[in-house]
Amino acid sequence: MTIMKILISDPTLRDGNHAVKHQLTLEQVTAYAVAANAAGVPIVEVGHGNGLGASSLQVGLSLLEDHAMLKAAREVLTTSKLGIFMIPGFATINKDLRPALDLGADVVRIASHCTEADTTQRHIGFARERGKEVYGVLMMSHMAQGDVLLQECRKMESYGAEGVILMDSAGASLPSEVTEKVKILVDHLAIAVGYHAHNNLGLAVANSIAAAQAGAVILDGTACGFGAGAGNTQLEVLVAVLEKSGLSTGIDLYKMLDAADLVRKKLLESAISISSTSLVSGLAGVFSGFAKHVERVAGEYNVDFRDILFELGRRKAVAGQEDMIVEIADALAKKNSPRSSK
Amino acid sequence: MSLPVPKLKVAIIGSGNIGTDLLMKCLRSASLECMMFIGRSFTSPGIVKASGLGIRISDRSIDAIINDPASCDLVFDCTSAADARRHWPILKELGKTVVDLTPAKIGVMCVPAVNLQECLGSQNVNMITCGGQASIPLAHQIGLIHPDAEYIEVVSSIASRSAGPATRLNIDEYLETTEGAVKSFAKCKNAKAILILNPATPCVDMQTTIFAKIDNPDMEKLTLAVKKVVEKVRNYVPGYQLILPPTQEGGRVMITVKVQGRGDYLPMFAGNLDIINCAAIAAAEAFAKIRQKQA
Amino acid sequence: MLSQKRILLDRVNNNIKRIALPMKNIPHQIIEQDCEQVVAGKLDQLAGLRGETLLITGGTGFVGTWITELVIHLNDHYNFGARVKLLSRQELDSRTVTPHLMGRNDVEFIRQDVRAITDLPEDVTLLIHAAASPDTRLHASDPLRTIRTITQGTDAVLAAAARLPRLKRIMNVSSALIYGSQPWEVKDMAENYGGGLLDCASMLSSYAEAKRLGETLVAAYRNEHRLPIVNMRPFAFIGPYQRLDRPWAINNFIRDGLLGGVIRILGDGETVRSYMYASDMAFWSLRILLSGAVGCSYNVGSPDGIRLRTLAEKIATCFPGPIQIECRGLIDGKGKRSKMIPNVSAGESQLGLSVNVDLDSAIRQTILWNQKTSCAEK
């Protein structure tokens, strides 16, 4: 019986950064990178929650500059590859991508909103020109149907991506949707398909397994589910479930558990769980990274965070549109008095 | 009996959406007359439209002006940065004033609400980018009132449909051009530009937020100054609207504006394309005024 | 008027700082060797070219440039006395045109958008319509432009050709993609093959469907205007002048090798392709133009398929080792395999065509040219 392997990509030190408002320190980066490397995690992704060059007033300033984080991780990663993530529109080749490649990044992910893949052409091409392993990422993938996603994936394939990852950035998908979308891609693409789930509806691991069963060979997860709002797929759980299902990852389970304990002790500020904000965010189909901003702004303007979230969902806000949160709260505050019962 | 004031003779090179929308605005202008609409192919929809309106057309690109230099005094260049750089030495030699809508960064940067008069001494004025036109009037005020503000950030979201293949391929250039201009006008040390494409339907209008990190911001002064400059912009961009006045939130100062287009040729949601065109027309009309005074 | 313009442009050009030319100092000996090898002993097959005036639309592209190189070789060494006119939408300067082609009095440049052509020069006797870009990235990012260039362009060119007083032959450069996907069980596709799969409702089919319509237009023009026209269906090529950033396997493998890095195969390496060297492509194209049966289509490409894995290994041996080879994208699983192989027996039997340059030589020459070219840039 052929054992099909799953390639795990671990964005604990990138997507996880959302959980601490992008304030990961050098010690934390180094400590986790060492632990992940020891556990045999294939790819360790490092950076601001929204990727290279995203440190901004719009989505949050990070404590460390990109190059500092990358250098720290690069120094301690031996068998694990160093991954970076970037979104054209936030980061540029000259300011962000080229320096990161020069610092020794091995794996590059270029992301766009799930209907805007052609914004990644230059960047994927740039990384490919330098012989790097490049993947395309489609964010907020719940917002497009399978056939549209396929077309966008084919664009990335033509630009030189060797795989595409569907990101359920809002944690809004059900397993049946995941199966359907992944299957369409696996059936029609020549390149690898991956899935990156979020846990807003408590379905991250289930969605990841559904993706694997539909033919995805790349899965993302973070230790303890460390990430924005309800968090990402809990990596140690995913690894265990995959092994139990006969899909090997090459990761040492015990050492992965050690890495998770490290995160629990040294990185987590509060336990990752599905709060009301995260649940409503998932239902409204809003980018998970908005959650903390929404909570803060709702408090300031004395409006119901749920109203803000549903309005963001109604307006189909995409990643990077955090400025809309304040504008909506301001409008709500002017229109009504706050809900009396809550 | 006084003679009618002569209009400034202009030519438009670049027959895509921007050029065609610009043509429609020229037709409405009291001081500009479009003498030639120039592209590279007679099959371009813009050229077909211009021809239908009785405007003189050409598919010879810059050669059209070389072959008939007397036809125009001012040229709008709506081609591409690379082409604009090729055109400029020729147009300079021919003594034409150029209003450049590409990110070629050749001439002096012009934001009509901020530095229109100072630009009129230049032979080449550059309209920067749409995000630049939307944000710089505000960033400039921040820079005046708080010269200590070290960092200004501009985030623009535009409808996915208003961003064509050329925009998508050149996002990096757009960001770098906008950042450079913000730094220059606001006189701040650092600037960052972000561009988001949103595919929601019905299509969203352009929305731009300016952020600044300022210790002890004078919110009253800022609000007054911002409201004043917004009115100034509305004089040439009627669809420019302040939707979030200067607000302190989360340790940053933020201001949000929305731009809805006039719908001259492009749909109304393409406020991003409209604002740069409106700015270009404002610049050209200012040049026209000087000419009229000289005459 | 013309001299005025020339004075102006000269003055202007003297003031422009010249940008470093990617094509400067090309080792032309490689090209000359290739041309000589492919025409030696076969001049009679191209005799119809003597004294003729050939116009190539999309003339500054890979196909156009190589055909021009072959023609000027025949002029320089065998007194063919042919003239070439290259028509292109691009700004025709040192960046887009090979320098040694400029300044020759048997090569002329015309800047024109193919979609808007109304007239072609009256002295044209041979026409090759090659204006289109086979770059899949462009097809993905700008499907409308892709479709318009091919459909409107072909229509305009053929309409203008129909009024040329001395036109003898036309060749339309179509595409192997018109066949659709080649099923795995099928060994190769001959010109009458109709079993490929193509989904017309997908934007990803924009290039293939436009090229198919192109061939239908050709048939209609042949019928209504009695045009002496043939189609050529190019498969895959490799050689000098082809950019290594093009999204095709062999280009990527060579580029990875030149970078000294890992050669990455997407999939499991079992996909089968075949590659013809540029000089063979140029010769076959001219032969088909001159002697192909009117109204027929001819495959141009190598009939010898090779697994991508084997191709990668071949290319790896051309570099100081060891060059690693990795199958990316699928781990331990079955790859999505595809094939695209031409059956060229029609060209072989009817036109006496043969493949002159074997794959190993093709790879070696291409690598050598790329190495020499990048050296020249430094």
Side-chain angles (χ1 to χ4, degrees), chain B residues 63 66-67, chain C residues 1-10:
Chain B
D63 285 356
I66 296 175
N67 292 335
Chain C
M1 193 61 84
L2 217 61
S3 59
Q4 243 185 328
K5 173 169 150 185
R6 183 132 299 151
I7 294 170
L8 174 63
L9 286 175
D10 283 347

Side-chain angles (χ1 to χ4, degrees), chain B residues 40-43 59-61 63 66-68 82-83 85-87 89-90 93-94 165 169, chain C residues 1 4-5 8-9 11-12 15-16 89-91 93 95 111-113 115-116 141-142 152:
Chain B
R40 284 187 295 196
S41 168
F42 284 130
T43 59
D59 70 334
R60 295 285 92 203
S61 196
D63 285 356
I66 296 175
N67 292 335
D68 187 3
D83 285 332
R85 282 180 209 121
R86 265 194 287 267
H87 299 156
I90 298 171
E93 184 76 32
L94 290 172
L169 209 53
Chain C
M1 193 61 84
Q4 243 185 328
K5 173 169 150 185
L8 174 63
L9 286 175
R11 210 184 309 158
V12 149
N15 296 334
I16 299 178
R89 186 180 185 247
Q90 291 174 311
E91 194 69 51
D93 57 27
R95 266 164 300 181
R111 180 155 176 223
Q112 172 91 71
D113 186 322
R115 295 170 296 170
S141 302
D142 209 341
Q152 291 174 8

Side-chain angles (χ1 to χ4, degrees), chain B residues 157-163 196-200 203-206 269 272:
Chain B
S157 39
I158 59 176
S160 183
R161 265 181 70 188
S162 71
I196 313 279
L197 302 185
N198 187 327
C203 294
V204 298
D205 295 328
M206 176 188 193
F269 60 74
N272 52 314

Side-chain angles (χ1 to χ4, degrees), chain C residues 2 32 50 153 170 176 179 249-250 262 264 271 286 319 322 333 335 355:
Chain C
L2 217 61
E32 277 186 30
R50 286 184 188 273
I170 312 175
Y179 291 113
I250 193 172
V262 180
R264 318 147 84 77
T271 285
L286 283 173
F319 295 98
V355 173

Side-chain angles (χ1 to χ4, degrees), chain C residues 70-278:
Chain C
L70 201 53
V71 174
I72 65 176
H73 182 88
L74 291 167
N75 283 351
D76 290 343
H77 297 263
Y78 300 99
N79 290 320
F80 262 52
R83 303 175 53 77
V84 186
K85 295 182 200 273
L86 300 176
L87 190 145
S88 168
R89 186 180 185 247
Q90 291 174 311
E91 194 69 51
L92 297 161
D93 57 27
S94 33
R95 266 164 300 181
T96 52
V97 181
T98 323
H100 65 265
L101 291 182
M102 292 178 101
R104 284 186 66 107
N105 48 19
D106 52 359
V107 179
E108 191 190 312
F109 297 92
I110 304 172
R111 180 155 176 223
Q112 172 91 71
D113 186 322
V114 75
R115 295 170 296 170
I117 287 177
T118 49
D119 296 273
L120 292 170
E122 285 204 352
D123 53 346
V124 168
T125 56
L126 300 171
L127 175 62
I128 293 179
H129 177 50
S133 173
D135 188 338
T136 26
R137 293 170 299 184
L138 187 68
H139 308 164
S141 302
D142 209 341
L144 289 175
R145 181 165 136 184
T146 300
I147 295 171
R148 285 170 189 149
T149 305
I150 297 168
T151 55
Q152 291 174 8
T154 304
D155 198 1
V157 167
L158 295 182
R163 295 183 301 106
L164 284 175
R166 287 178 274 279
L167 186 64
K168 294 182 182 166
R169 306 272 305 176
I170 312 175
M171 182 176 79
N172 174 45
V173 177
S174 179
S175 168
L177 294 177
I178 61 132
Y179 291 113
S181 317
Q182 181 175 339
W184 189 254
E185 331 72 68
V186 172
K187 175 171 173 281
D188 54 29
M189 301 185 288
E191 290 82 352
N192 56 5
Y193 181 68
L197 312 153
L198 200 54
D199 177 8
C200 64
S202 165
M203 64 145 253
L204 299 160
S205 303
S206 52
Y207 184 76
E209 288 293 340
K211 281 294 186 184
R212 279 167 66 92
L213 180 58
E215 289 206 24
T216 314
L217 274 170
V218 161
Y221 269 93
R222 179 176 162 242
N223 181 283
E224 281 195 33
H225 294 274
R226 315 284 189 260
L227 287 186
I229 184 166
V230 297
N231 290 306
M232 161 212 175
R233 292 177 182 162
F235 277 66
F237 306 112
I238 190 66
Y241 297 137
Q242 197 172 80
R243 297 177 47 136
L244 292 184
D245 70 336
R246 295 280 155 145
W248 303 314
I250 193 172
N251 302 53
N252 289 359
F253 295 173
I254 292 176
R255 185 200 49 210
D256 287 343
L258 282 168
L259 284 172
V262 180
I263 292 183
R264 318 147 84 77
I265 310 174
L266 297 185
D268 61 2
E270 294 303 306
T271 285
V272 178
R273 290 284 182 275
S274 69
Y275 298 95
M276 175 181 261
Y277 190 58

Side-chain angles (χ1 to χ4, degrees), chain A residues 79-124:
Chain A
T79 43
S80 301
K81 293 184 185 168
L82 176 59
I84 53 171
F85 175 92
M86 70 153 276
I87 304 172
F90 270 96
T92 65
I93 291 175
N94 288 332
K95 268 167 100 178
D96 309 292
L97 185 55
R98 183 185 285 118
L101 296 188
D102 289 343
L103 277 171
D106 303 304
V107 179
V108 181
R109 280 195 178 183
I110 311 288
S112 74
H113 183 74
C114 61
T115 53
E116 314 299 319
D118 42 25
T119 57
T120 65
Q121 180 174 341
R122 282 246 157 97
H123 309 79
I124 291 179

Side-chain angles (χ1 to χ4, degrees), chain C residues 301-350:
Chain C
S302 162
D304 301 316
I306 180 171
R307 284 159 64 244
L308 288 189
R309 169 115 221 162
T310 314
L311 177 67
E313 285 160 7
K314 254 193 213 292
I315 291 173
T317 60
C318 297
F319 295 98
I323 300 272
Q324 255 185 294
I325 298 172
E326 262 182 35
C327 282
R328 305 292 325 168
L330 281 154
I331 304 154
D332 277 8
K334 239 181 89 153
K336 190 141 292 117
R337 324 174 150 177
S338 70
K339 256 186 191 168
M340 199 171 81
I341 310 290
N343 177 308
V344 293
S345 40
E348 285 170 339
S349 58
Q350 288 177 32

